[in-house]
Amino acid sequence: MRVLIVCILSLFNVNVAIAQSAVLYEYDGNFDDATFSVEGAIVGRGLIIDHVSHTGEMLSRTAVDVGSDKEIFKAADIFLFCSAVISRTVMEADPMNIVHCPYTIFVIEDQSGVYIGHRTYPEGPMQIVQGLLISLVNDALEF
């Protein structure tokens, strides 16, 4: 399935990298524009963002406290949201799909650039969620 996703995305001429259990999309712009685009894509579908985790700020703020001086990200935010319709569908198929909720899209900036990404999901009903995330990221890339 991953190969199929990468093939489909390559049709859109999108720079995509699959890293462990995440898919990264290179964003042509700055971090603030990327987060604005992701927020717009999610809200534009009528979905509610439950929380934005400012993970990059937390890592920077706590580095000294944990004895580190390594910069992991220049910036990193994670958008948490859900779709009532899709969540019901995947949890009716298997109630244990609750472990995948809420869904997330992240934006990171590191020394090599700005990226939008999402995790990958197991085969089966959760591919509906993965399809939603791919679609939302594509919307953000075009925003």
Side-chain angles (χ1 to χ4, degrees):
M1 185 58 147
R2 286 184 188 174
V3 173
L4 176 61
I5 292 168
V6 171
C7 290
I8 291 170
L9 291 174
S10 67
L11 294 174
F12 296 101
N13 198 22
V14 175
N15 290 326
V16 177
I18 297 178
Q20 296 173 0
S21 63
V23 181
L24 296 176
Y25 304 78
E26 188 174 10
Y27 184 80
D28 184 22
N30 65 44
F31 179 81
D32 290 335
D33 289 345
T35 58
F36 182 79
S37 295
V38 168
E39 181 178 354
I42 294 168
V43 172
R45 294 282 184 92
L47 302 170
I48 304 293
I49 297 171
D50 296 322
H51 180 71
V52 179
S53 176
H54 303 288
T55 305
E57 291 174 12
M58 179 275 299
L59 290 169
S60 293
R61 184 180 64 250
T62 60
V64 173
D65 298 334
V66 298
S68 179
D69 61 356
K70 180 179 179 182
E71 179 183 76
I72 300 171
F73 302 109
K74 293 181 180 189
D77 284 351
I78 306 169
F79 294 82
L80 290 79
F81 62 96
C82 213
S83 162
V85 172
I86 292 175
S87 293
R88 175 157 290 280
T89 299
V90 301
M91 287 183 222
E92 283 181 358
D94 181 354
M96 290 300 102
N97 281 332
I98 194 170
V99 302
H100 302 292
C101 199
Y103 314 129
T104 61
I105 294 177
F106 59 88
V107 179
I108 59 171
E109 180 178 4
D110 63 15
Q111 68 282 358
S112 63
V114 177
Y115 301 90
I116 299 173
H118 60 82
R119 65 180 302 184
T120 58
Y121 289 91
E123 294 297 324
M126 291 307 297
Q127 287 300 300
I128 299 168
V129 174
Q130 189 156 322
L132 170 67
L133 298 179
I134 291 168
S135 178
L136 289 169
V137 170
N138 282 327
D139 288 354
L141 293 171
E142 295 173 2
F143 202 74

